[in-house]
Amino acid sequence: MANVRVGIVGPTGYAGMELVRLVAGHPRMTLVYLAGSGARTGPLDAHLPHLHALADVLPPVEALDVQKAAEVCDLVFVALPSGESGRIAWEILQAGRRRGVRVIDLSGDFRLPPEVYQTWYGRQPLPQEAIAEARYGLPERHRDAIRQAWLVANPGCYATACALAVLPLGDLLATVRGPVVFDAKSGVTGAGRAPKEHLHLGELANDVYPYRVGKHQHTPEIEQALGGALQVLLTTQLLPVPRGILVCAYIPIPPDVAPVVYDRYASFCEREPFVRLLPRGEMPHIKAVNGTNECHLSVAWDERTRLLQVFSAIDNLGKGAAGQAIQNANLMFGWPEREGLHLVPLWM
Ligand SMILES: NC(=O)c1ccc[n+]([C@@H]2O[C@H](COP(=O)([O-])OP(=O)(O)OC[C@H]3O[C@@H](n4cnc5c(N)ncnc54)[C@H](OP(=O)(O)O)[C@@H]3O)[C@@H](O)[C@H]2O)c1
């Protein structure tokens, strides 16, 4: 199917504006509908001047009309704050069911079973039938299910970086003893565009600190993405940079397994179009993945502590959000997985 008509709900947000950039450059997608809360309407480049170069191909931003989204689009990306996002994605899916509209939701609303969601997000979950309809959009684990899906729950940014640090272990996951510890750091776009005091330059510059210790909502998502048998301890920290996530995973594997680990990661990465294992001793940089859908991994076995260290870098707005959403759309429509994602990193 060529020229799929695409809608984006939330194009003035960080994830939404990155989706606009990627959809506009996708050879098989045409942007036909942009919608938000109604607070910012009209030409998108009036609100986001960096998108002026796309002015000729951008529809105006409208206040969201669910019926219209379901009528004029074949595929709708919904990138609103959790709570709102899932409700609206579910409404669009139902309104467009007769036409076969597909929906990819970037929030956390469809990612977890209702009771787990309620505990970690502290809010009423969507109905069970809505959660049951969604497929978790981590292609490296659920590629076949995503191909058949009408509704995809796009994974969280930290969850993607952490899960991809461990999943290449494959059947060796069963040998991991004890919790996996993730030391994770993210750029500030991960917190969304709405102004918050702790995100002001004066508060953020020259500082790094942990936040939501023991309470981060991506903790159960990572445990689920790893198959549910392992416990996870996640420490999230805010970096004074706009984008990028760097994770160090500490994985307790038996020493006799250590010699085969690098080859396991290498063969996993050979099969995966967006996960790259760096040569031994080379470390990932967020600058090398920003603006792309890539995940860069590096592994190191520490003989002294008998811990495997895996370093993982992604762009929170790329493989952690909009890039992964495009990858999922490519799978849903049967296109090559790299379509529209041949992206050069923003090194400088
Ligand atoms: N930022 C990341 O790195 C990242 C990574 C992975 C997943 N996500 C997820 O992606 C979603 C969007 O995140 P974000 O960082 O892009 O957020 P954001 O920058 O705060 O943007 C939120 C967007 O939602 C719109 N909006 C808010 N309430 C609305 C409503 N009731 N109806 C219609 N539009 C509404 C806003 O539009 P107006 O301008 O019209 O108010 C804005 O465009 C979140 O669920 C987040 O968890 C984000």
Side-chain angles (χ1 to χ4, degrees):
M1 192 175 181
N3 259 337
V4 159
R5 290 164 299 171
V6 173
I8 298 174
V9 185
T12 55
Y14 284 144
M17 70 177 80
E18 187 67 351
L19 272 168
V20 169
R21 183 174 83 90
L22 298 181
V23 171
H26 195 292
R28 303 193 200 221
M29 295 183 180
T30 306
L31 254 181
V32 295
Y33 186 64
L34 295 176
S37 65
R40 283 180 273 214
T41 54
L44 184 58
D45 60 316
H47 308 289
L48 302 171
H50 73 286
L51 293 178
H52 185 65
L54 298 176
D56 292 347
V57 298
L58 294 179
V61 185
E62 305 172 22
L64 175 65
D65 176 340
V66 166
Q67 288 302 330
K68 183 172 178 183
E71 274 161 29
V72 302
C73 304
D74 305 310
L75 166 67
V76 183
F77 296 100
V78 186
L80 309 184
S82 288
E84 277 300 285
S85 207
R87 183 180 63 76
I88 286 169
W90 182 235
E91 284 178 14
I92 294 172
L93 189 82
Q94 286 177 308
R97 212 181 268 283
R98 196 176 36 81
R99 288 191 52 248
V101 174
R102 291 173 170 87
V103 176
I104 299 180
D105 179 65
L106 277 80
S107 78
D109 294 340
F110 293 98
R111 296 179 200 151
L112 297 169
E115 63 288 355
V116 182
Y117 179 90
Q118 184 139 26
T119 303
W120 289 83
Y121 282 77
R123 108 166 44 90
Q124 199 60 28
L126 287 164
Q128 174 62 44
E129 58 166 329
I131 309 290
E133 175 97 26
R135 296 293 168 266
Y136 187 65
L138 190 65
E140 292 75 10
R141 189 165 152 84
H142 299 291
R143 190 165 272 116
D144 290 340
I146 296 164
R147 285 197 177 105
Q148 311 299 325
W150 297 99
L151 172 63
V152 162
N154 214 58
C157 46
Y158 279 122
T160 297
C162 293
L164 291 178
V166 180
L167 280 176
L169 281 173
D171 60 348
L172 298 180
L173 260 173
T175 70
V176 174
R177 299 278 169 261
V180 177
V181 176
F182 294 99
D183 178 90
K185 302 176 181 71
S186 173
V188 293
T189 51
R193 196 162 174 235
K196 295 167 198 103
E197 192 173 301
H198 71 286
L199 302 179
H200 292 176
L201 181 66
E203 305 294 321
L204 199 67
N206 306 326
D207 205 5
V208 181
Y209 58 92
Y211 66 97
R212 254 188 256 171
V213 172
K215 297 193 201 106
H216 200 284
Q217 71 277 12
H218 288 182
T219 305
E221 190 183 330
I222 300 165
E223 289 179 346
Q224 184 176 267
L226 296 181
L230 280 172
Q231 269 199 323
V232 155
L233 179 64
L234 171 66
T235 304
T236 49
Q237 292 148 91
L238 202 54
L239 288 177
V241 299
R243 60 203 283 175
I245 287 184
L246 182 69
V247 167
C248 179
Y250 299 89
I251 312 173
I253 55 166
D256 58 329
V257 162
V260 300
V261 161
Y262 188 89
D263 287 346
R264 287 302 172 97
Y265 276 72
S267 58
F268 178 94
C269 293
E270 256 168 42
R271 297 191 301 272
E272 287 303 331
F274 295 105
V275 192
R276 185 172 158 228
L277 180 64
L278 301 181
R280 289 175 201 271
E282 217 175 276
M283 291 295 144
H285 287 244
I286 57 173
K287 277 179 23 157
V289 292
N290 278 350
T292 78
N293 191 48
E294 309 277 321
C295 172
H296 287 182
L297 298 178
S298 176
V299 297
W301 165 247
D302 188 65
E303 185 63 45
R304 212 171 49 83
T305 56
R306 308 198 155 196
L307 285 170
L308 177 70
Q309 283 177 292
V310 182
F311 303 92
S312 166
I314 64 166
D315 180 351
N316 55 295
L317 297 173
K319 185 65 174 159
Q324 183 139 264
I326 299 287
Q327 187 182 355
N328 283 322
N330 288 341
L331 286 166
M332 291 165 96
F333 285 91
W335 299 327
E337 217 163 311
R338 279 191 162 277
E339 201 82 304
L341 292 171
H342 298 275
L343 301 163
V344 178
L346 308 171
W347 182 259
M348 298 307 288

PDB file of all heavy atoms in Angstrom, residues 80-87 107-110 113-126 131 212 217:
ATOM      1  N   LEU A  80       0.220  12.317  23.044  1.00  0.00           N
ATOM      2  CA  LEU A  80      -0.261  13.244  24.080  1.00  0.00           C
ATOM      3  C   LEU A  80       0.198  12.739  25.442  1.00  0.00           C
ATOM      4  O   LEU A  80       0.646  11.602  25.577  1.00  0.00           O
ATOM      5  CB  LEU A  80      -1.796  13.289  24.067  1.00  0.00           C
ATOM      6  CG  LEU A  80      -2.481  13.542  22.731  1.00  0.00           C
ATOM      7  CD1 LEU A  80      -3.980  13.639  22.927  1.00  0.00           C
ATOM      8  CD2 LEU A  80      -1.949  14.796  22.077  1.00  0.00           C
ATOM      9  N   PRO A  81       0.074  13.564  26.472  1.00  0.00           N
ATOM     10  CA  PRO A  81       0.443  13.088  27.803  1.00  0.00           C
ATOM     11  C   PRO A  81      -0.351  11.830  28.185  1.00  0.00           C
ATOM     12  O   PRO A  81      -1.514  11.683  27.790  1.00  0.00           O
ATOM     13  CB  PRO A  81       0.049  14.265  28.711  1.00  0.00           C
ATOM     14  CG  PRO A  81       0.083  15.464  27.801  1.00  0.00           C
ATOM     15  CD  PRO A  81      -0.343  14.965  26.458  1.00  0.00           C
ATOM     16  N   SER A  82       0.312  10.923  28.915  1.00  0.00           N
ATOM     17  CA  SER A  82      -0.365   9.707  29.366  1.00  0.00           C
ATOM     18  C   SER A  82      -1.658  10.085  30.074  1.00  0.00           C
ATOM     19  O   SER A  82      -1.749  11.111  30.728  1.00  0.00           O
ATOM     20  CB  SER A  82       0.544   8.904  30.301  1.00  0.00           C
ATOM     21  OG  SER A  82       1.585   8.312  29.554  1.00  0.00           O
ATOM     22  N   GLY A  83      -2.652   9.246  29.948  1.00  0.00           N
ATOM     23  CA  GLY A  83      -3.986   9.561  30.480  1.00  0.00           C
ATOM     24  C   GLY A  83      -4.851  10.029  29.331  1.00  0.00           C
ATOM     25  O   GLY A  83      -5.738   9.301  28.886  1.00  0.00           O
ATOM     26  N   GLU A  84      -4.547  11.214  28.785  1.00  0.00           N
ATOM     27  CA  GLU A  84      -5.266  11.739  27.621  1.00  0.00           C
ATOM     28  C   GLU A  84      -5.008  10.881  26.386  1.00  0.00           C
ATOM     29  O   GLU A  84      -5.903  10.578  25.599  1.00  0.00           O
ATOM     30  CB  GLU A  84      -4.773  13.156  27.298  1.00  0.00           C
ATOM     31  CG  GLU A  84      -5.415  14.249  28.123  1.00  0.00           C
ATOM     32  CD  GLU A  84      -6.923  14.270  27.925  1.00  0.00           C
ATOM     33  OE1 GLU A  84      -7.385  14.734  26.883  1.00  0.00           O
ATOM     34  OE2 GLU A  84      -7.622  13.789  28.836  1.00  0.00           O
ATOM     35  N   SER A  85      -3.753  10.506  26.191  1.00  0.00           N
ATOM     36  CA  SER A  85      -3.325   9.870  24.947  1.00  0.00           C
ATOM     37  C   SER A  85      -4.070   8.563  24.680  1.00  0.00           C
ATOM     38  O   SER A  85      -4.628   8.365  23.596  1.00  0.00           O
ATOM     39  CB  SER A  85      -1.814   9.609  24.999  1.00  0.00           C
ATOM     40  OG  SER A  85      -1.260   9.583  23.717  1.00  0.00           O
ATOM     41  N   GLY A  86      -4.090   7.698  25.668  1.00  0.00           N
ATOM     42  CA  GLY A  86      -4.711   6.389  25.479  1.00  0.00           C
ATOM     43  C   GLY A  86      -6.209   6.513  25.240  1.00  0.00           C
ATOM     44  O   GLY A  86      -6.769   5.812  24.386  1.00  0.00           O
ATOM     45  N   ARG A  87      -6.838   7.415  25.974  1.00  0.00           N
ATOM     46  CA  ARG A  87      -8.286   7.604  25.807  1.00  0.00           C
ATOM     47  C   ARG A  87      -8.587   8.012  24.361  1.00  0.00           C
ATOM     48  O   ARG A  87      -9.461   7.450  23.701  1.00  0.00           O
ATOM     49  CB  ARG A  87      -8.775   8.678  26.800  1.00  0.00           C
ATOM     50  CG  ARG A  87     -10.258   8.921  26.796  1.00  0.00           C
ATOM     51  CD  ARG A  87     -10.644   9.997  27.800  1.00  0.00           C
ATOM     52  NE  ARG A  87     -10.083  11.319  27.507  1.00  0.00           N
ATOM     53  CZ  ARG A  87     -10.531  12.130  26.553  1.00  0.00           C
ATOM     54  NH1 ARG A  87     -11.526  11.748  25.779  1.00  0.00           N
ATOM     55  NH2 ARG A  87      -9.970  13.311  26.358  1.00  0.00           N
ATOM     56  N   SER A 107       2.101   6.974  24.316  1.00  0.00           N
ATOM     57  CA  SER A 107       2.078   7.130  25.775  1.00  0.00           C
ATOM     58  C   SER A 107       2.241   5.783  26.477  1.00  0.00           C
ATOM     59  O   SER A 107       2.354   4.740  25.831  1.00  0.00           O
ATOM     60  CB  SER A 107       0.746   7.752  26.201  1.00  0.00           C
ATOM     61  OG  SER A 107      -0.263   6.750  26.192  1.00  0.00           O
ATOM     62  N   GLY A 108       2.191   5.810  27.804  1.00  0.00           N
ATOM     63  CA  GLY A 108       2.283   4.577  28.585  1.00  0.00           C
ATOM     64  C   GLY A 108       0.946   3.890  28.781  1.00  0.00           C
ATOM     65  O   GLY A 108       0.876   2.856  29.456  1.00  0.00           O
ATOM     66  N   ASP A 109      -0.131   4.418  28.184  1.00  0.00           N
ATOM     67  CA  ASP A 109      -1.477   3.986  28.566  1.00  0.00           C
ATOM     68  C   ASP A 109      -1.852   2.563  28.171  1.00  0.00           C
ATOM     69  O   ASP A 109      -2.754   1.977  28.772  1.00  0.00           O
ATOM     70  CB  ASP A 109      -2.517   4.957  28.007  1.00  0.00           C
ATOM     71  CG  ASP A 109      -2.402   6.332  28.649  1.00  0.00           C
ATOM     72  OD1 ASP A 109      -1.816   6.430  29.750  1.00  0.00           O
ATOM     73  OD2 ASP A 109      -2.887   7.310  28.058  1.00  0.00           O
ATOM     74  N   PHE A 110      -1.233   2.015  27.137  1.00  0.00           N
ATOM     75  CA  PHE A 110      -1.584   0.647  26.693  1.00  0.00           C
ATOM     76  C   PHE A 110      -0.480  -0.359  27.013  1.00  0.00           C
ATOM     77  O   PHE A 110      -0.533  -1.494  26.564  1.00  0.00           O
ATOM     78  CB  PHE A 110      -1.799   0.630  25.171  1.00  0.00           C
ATOM     79  CG  PHE A 110      -2.997   1.403  24.691  1.00  0.00           C
ATOM     80  CD1 PHE A 110      -2.861   2.694  24.209  1.00  0.00           C
ATOM     81  CD2 PHE A 110      -4.268   0.838  24.726  1.00  0.00           C
ATOM     82  CE1 PHE A 110      -3.950   3.405  23.751  1.00  0.00           C
ATOM     83  CE2 PHE A 110      -5.373   1.533  24.267  1.00  0.00           C
ATOM     84  CZ  PHE A 110      -5.221   2.832  23.780  1.00  0.00           C
ATOM     85  N   PRO A 113      -0.604  -4.163  32.105  1.00  0.00           N
ATOM     86  CA  PRO A 113      -1.907  -4.636  32.579  1.00  0.00           C
ATOM     87  C   PRO A 113      -2.538  -3.578  33.491  1.00  0.00           C
ATOM     88  O   PRO A 113      -1.810  -2.844  34.188  1.00  0.00           O
ATOM     89  CB  PRO A 113      -1.564  -5.900  33.382  1.00  0.00           C
ATOM     90  CG  PRO A 113      -0.198  -6.286  32.946  1.00  0.00           C
ATOM     91  CD  PRO A 113       0.498  -5.042  32.515  1.00  0.00           C
ATOM     92  N   PRO A 114      -3.899  -3.497  33.509  1.00  0.00           N
ATOM     93  CA  PRO A 114      -4.570  -2.409  34.228  1.00  0.00           C
ATOM     94  C   PRO A 114      -4.119  -2.216  35.680  1.00  0.00           C
ATOM     95  O   PRO A 114      -3.871  -1.095  36.115  1.00  0.00           O
ATOM     96  CB  PRO A 114      -6.054  -2.808  34.162  1.00  0.00           C
ATOM     97  CG  PRO A 114      -6.158  -3.678  32.955  1.00  0.00           C
ATOM     98  CD  PRO A 114      -4.842  -4.369  32.792  1.00  0.00           C
ATOM     99  N   GLU A 115      -3.975  -3.333  36.430  1.00  0.00           N
ATOM    100  CA  GLU A 115      -3.647  -3.170  37.855  1.00  0.00           C
ATOM    101  C   GLU A 115      -2.212  -2.657  38.030  1.00  0.00           C
ATOM    102  O   GLU A 115      -1.931  -1.873  38.948  1.00  0.00           O
ATOM    103  CB  GLU A 115      -3.913  -4.469  38.653  1.00  0.00           C
ATOM    104  CG  GLU A 115      -3.099  -5.700  38.280  1.00  0.00           C
ATOM    105  CD  GLU A 115      -3.467  -6.341  36.934  1.00  0.00           C
ATOM    106  OE1 GLU A 115      -4.428  -5.914  36.272  1.00  0.00           O
ATOM    107  OE2 GLU A 115      -2.742  -7.285  36.539  1.00  0.00           O
ATOM    108  N   VAL A 116      -1.321  -3.072  37.149  1.00  0.00           N
ATOM    109  CA  VAL A 116       0.074  -2.596  37.232  1.00  0.00           C
ATOM    110  C   VAL A 116       0.123  -1.115  36.851  1.00  0.00           C
ATOM    111  O   VAL A 116       0.808  -0.303  37.486  1.00  0.00           O
ATOM    112  CB  VAL A 116       0.997  -3.433  36.302  1.00  0.00           C
ATOM    113  CG1 VAL A 116       2.444  -2.981  36.424  1.00  0.00           C
ATOM    114  CG2 VAL A 116       0.860  -4.908  36.609  1.00  0.00           C
ATOM    115  N   TYR A 117      -0.625  -0.748  35.826  1.00  0.00           N
ATOM    116  CA  TYR A 117      -0.702   0.656  35.390  1.00  0.00           C
ATOM    117  C   TYR A 117      -1.193   1.533  36.539  1.00  0.00           C
ATOM    118  O   TYR A 117      -0.625   2.590  36.827  1.00  0.00           O
ATOM    119  CB  TYR A 117      -1.647   0.764  34.191  1.00  0.00           C
ATOM    120  CG  TYR A 117      -1.830   2.171  33.663  1.00  0.00           C
ATOM    121  CD1 TYR A 117      -0.988   2.681  32.674  1.00  0.00           C
ATOM    122  CD2 TYR A 117      -2.854   2.994  34.145  1.00  0.00           C
ATOM    123  CE1 TYR A 117      -1.161   3.979  32.193  1.00  0.00           C
ATOM    124  CE2 TYR A 117      -3.033   4.277  33.661  1.00  0.00           C
ATOM    125  CZ  TYR A 117      -2.182   4.771  32.686  1.00  0.00           C
ATOM    126  OH  TYR A 117      -2.351   6.052  32.213  1.00  0.00           O
ATOM    127  N   GLN A 118      -2.255   1.078  37.197  1.00  0.00           N
ATOM    128  CA  GLN A 118      -2.830   1.879  38.293  1.00  0.00           C
ATOM    129  C   GLN A 118      -1.799   2.108  39.402  1.00  0.00           C
ATOM    130  O   GLN A 118      -1.667   3.207  39.932  1.00  0.00           O
ATOM    131  CB  GLN A 118      -4.065   1.165  38.860  1.00  0.00           C
ATOM    132  CG  GLN A 118      -4.780   1.954  39.928  1.00  0.00           C
ATOM    133  CD  GLN A 118      -6.289   1.852  39.773  1.00  0.00           C
ATOM    134  OE1 GLN A 118      -6.803   0.875  39.231  1.00  0.00           O
ATOM    135  NE2 GLN A 118      -7.004   2.854  40.237  1.00  0.00           N
ATOM    136  N   THR A 119      -1.033   1.080  39.710  1.00  0.00           N
ATOM    137  CA  THR A 119      -0.025   1.195  40.777  1.00  0.00           C
ATOM    138  C   THR A 119       1.072   2.187  40.400  1.00  0.00           C
ATOM    139  O   THR A 119       1.455   3.035  41.199  1.00  0.00           O
ATOM    140  CB  THR A 119       0.627  -0.193  41.035  1.00  0.00           C
ATOM    141  OG1 THR A 119      -0.399  -1.097  41.363  1.00  0.00           O
ATOM    142  CG2 THR A 119       1.658  -0.127  42.146  1.00  0.00           C
ATOM    143  N   TRP A 120       1.600   2.089  39.157  1.00  0.00           N
ATOM    144  CA  TRP A 120       2.795   2.866  38.811  1.00  0.00           C
ATOM    145  C   TRP A 120       2.471   4.240  38.234  1.00  0.00           C
ATOM    146  O   TRP A 120       3.281   5.156  38.334  1.00  0.00           O
ATOM    147  CB  TRP A 120       3.683   2.078  37.843  1.00  0.00           C
ATOM    148  CG  TRP A 120       4.353   0.931  38.529  1.00  0.00           C
ATOM    149  CD1 TRP A 120       3.818  -0.303  38.778  1.00  0.00           C
ATOM    150  CD2 TRP A 120       5.664   0.914  39.119  1.00  0.00           C
ATOM    151  NE1 TRP A 120       4.723  -1.088  39.456  1.00  0.00           N
ATOM    152  CE2 TRP A 120       5.867  -0.364  39.674  1.00  0.00           C
ATOM    153  CE3 TRP A 120       6.706   1.847  39.205  1.00  0.00           C
ATOM    154  CZ2 TRP A 120       7.042  -0.736  40.322  1.00  0.00           C
ATOM    155  CZ3 TRP A 120       7.883   1.479  39.838  1.00  0.00           C
ATOM    156  CH2 TRP A 120       8.044   0.200  40.396  1.00  0.00           C
ATOM    157  N   TYR A 121       1.307   4.363  37.590  1.00  0.00           N
ATOM    158  CA  TYR A 121       0.932   5.663  37.013  1.00  0.00           C
ATOM    159  C   TYR A 121      -0.012   6.433  37.933  1.00  0.00           C
ATOM    160  O   TYR A 121      -0.249   7.622  37.732  1.00  0.00           O
ATOM    161  CB  TYR A 121       0.281   5.483  35.630  1.00  0.00           C
ATOM    162  CG  TYR A 121       1.290   5.227  34.523  1.00  0.00           C
ATOM    163  CD1 TYR A 121       1.875   3.970  34.363  1.00  0.00           C
ATOM    164  CD2 TYR A 121       1.676   6.233  33.647  1.00  0.00           C
ATOM    165  CE1 TYR A 121       2.800   3.724  33.360  1.00  0.00           C
ATOM    166  CE2 TYR A 121       2.608   6.007  32.629  1.00  0.00           C
ATOM    167  CZ  TYR A 121       3.164   4.750  32.500  1.00  0.00           C
ATOM    168  OH  TYR A 121       4.086   4.526  31.504  1.00  0.00           O
ATOM    169  N   GLY A 122      -0.583   5.721  38.941  1.00  0.00           N
ATOM    170  CA  GLY A 122      -1.457   6.382  39.917  1.00  0.00           C
ATOM    171  C   GLY A 122      -2.700   6.970  39.275  1.00  0.00           C
ATOM    172  O   GLY A 122      -3.194   8.009  39.713  1.00  0.00           O
ATOM    173  N   ARG A 123      -3.177   6.324  38.239  1.00  0.00           N
ATOM    174  CA  ARG A 123      -4.400   6.834  37.594  1.00  0.00           C
ATOM    175  C   ARG A 123      -5.216   5.661  37.056  1.00  0.00           C
ATOM    176  O   ARG A 123      -4.708   4.555  36.912  1.00  0.00           O
ATOM    177  CB  ARG A 123      -3.998   7.871  36.559  1.00  0.00           C
ATOM    178  CG  ARG A 123      -4.089   7.573  35.156  1.00  0.00           C
ATOM    179  CD  ARG A 123      -3.990   8.771  34.231  1.00  0.00           C
ATOM    180  NE  ARG A 123      -2.975   9.764  34.499  1.00  0.00           N
ATOM    181  CZ  ARG A 123      -1.743   9.731  33.992  1.00  0.00           C
ATOM    182  NH1 ARG A 123      -1.359   8.717  33.240  1.00  0.00           N
ATOM    183  NH2 ARG A 123      -0.887  10.684  34.259  1.00  0.00           N
ATOM    184  N   GLN A 124      -6.491   5.938  36.843  1.00  0.00           N
ATOM    185  CA  GLN A 124      -7.429   4.926  36.355  1.00  0.00           C
ATOM    186  C   GLN A 124      -6.955   4.368  35.002  1.00  0.00           C
ATOM    187  O   GLN A 124      -6.671   5.147  34.086  1.00  0.00           O
ATOM    188  CB  GLN A 124      -8.791   5.616  36.194  1.00  0.00           C
ATOM    189  CG  GLN A 124      -9.971   4.695  36.131  1.00  0.00           C
ATOM    190  CD  GLN A 124     -10.137   3.842  37.385  1.00  0.00           C
ATOM    191  OE1 GLN A 124      -9.731   4.235  38.484  1.00  0.00           O
ATOM    192  NE2 GLN A 124     -10.698   2.665  37.213  1.00  0.00           N
ATOM    193  N   PRO A 125      -6.857   3.043  34.872  1.00  0.00           N
ATOM    194  CA  PRO A 125      -6.422   2.491  33.585  1.00  0.00           C
ATOM    195  C   PRO A 125      -7.539   2.511  32.548  1.00  0.00           C
ATOM    196  O   PRO A 125      -8.705   2.699  32.877  1.00  0.00           O
ATOM    197  CB  PRO A 125      -6.047   1.054  33.925  1.00  0.00           C
ATOM    198  CG  PRO A 125      -6.810   0.732  35.166  1.00  0.00           C
ATOM    199  CD  PRO A 125      -7.065   2.012  35.898  1.00  0.00           C
ATOM    200  N   LEU A 126      -7.161   2.278  31.290  1.00  0.00           N
ATOM    201  CA  LEU A 126      -8.145   2.095  30.223  1.00  0.00           C
ATOM    202  C   LEU A 126      -8.874   0.775  30.453  1.00  0.00           C
ATOM    203  O   LEU A 126      -8.389  -0.089  31.183  1.00  0.00           O
ATOM    204  CB  LEU A 126      -7.414   2.046  28.875  1.00  0.00           C
ATOM    205  CG  LEU A 126      -6.862   3.383  28.382  1.00  0.00           C
ATOM    206  CD1 LEU A 126      -5.835   3.150  27.281  1.00  0.00           C
ATOM    207  CD2 LEU A 126      -7.975   4.289  27.897  1.00  0.00           C
ATOM    208  N   ILE A 131      -6.714  -2.439  26.459  1.00  0.00           N
ATOM    209  CA  ILE A 131      -5.339  -2.930  26.709  1.00  0.00           C
ATOM    210  C   ILE A 131      -5.096  -4.220  25.919  1.00  0.00           C
ATOM    211  O   ILE A 131      -4.017  -4.406  25.336  1.00  0.00           O
ATOM    212  CB  ILE A 131      -5.134  -3.223  28.226  1.00  0.00           C
ATOM    213  CG1 ILE A 131      -5.570  -2.044  29.098  1.00  0.00           C
ATOM    214  CG2 ILE A 131      -3.690  -3.641  28.526  1.00  0.00           C
ATOM    215  CD1 ILE A 131      -4.722  -0.841  29.036  1.00  0.00           C
ATOM    216  N   ARG A 212      12.728  10.340  40.779  1.00  0.00           N
ATOM    217  CA  ARG A 212      11.738   9.246  40.868  1.00  0.00           C
ATOM    218  C   ARG A 212      12.406   7.920  41.269  1.00  0.00           C
ATOM    219  O   ARG A 212      12.112   6.857  40.680  1.00  0.00           O
ATOM    220  CB  ARG A 212      11.003   9.104  39.541  1.00  0.00           C
ATOM    221  CG  ARG A 212       9.584   9.655  39.643  1.00  0.00           C
ATOM    222  CD  ARG A 212       8.770   9.351  38.411  1.00  0.00           C
ATOM    223  NE  ARG A 212       8.670  10.552  37.612  1.00  0.00           N
ATOM    224  CZ  ARG A 212       8.176  10.595  36.395  1.00  0.00           C
ATOM    225  NH1 ARG A 212       7.735   9.516  35.820  1.00  0.00           N
ATOM    226  NH2 ARG A 212       8.103  11.731  35.753  1.00  0.00           N
ATOM    227  N   GLN A 217       7.956   4.774  36.402  1.00  0.00           N
ATOM    228  CA  GLN A 217       6.911   3.930  35.791  1.00  0.00           C
ATOM    229  C   GLN A 217       7.425   3.015  34.684  1.00  0.00           C
ATOM    230  O   GLN A 217       6.701   2.115  34.244  1.00  0.00           O
ATOM    231  CB  GLN A 217       5.758   4.813  35.271  1.00  0.00           C
ATOM    232  CG  GLN A 217       6.066   5.660  34.040  1.00  0.00           C
ATOM    233  CD  GLN A 217       6.772   6.979  34.363  1.00  0.00           C
ATOM    234  OE1 GLN A 217       7.243   7.197  35.478  1.00  0.00           O
ATOM    235  NE2 GLN A 217       6.841   7.876  33.387  1.00  0.00           N
TER     236      GLN A 217
END
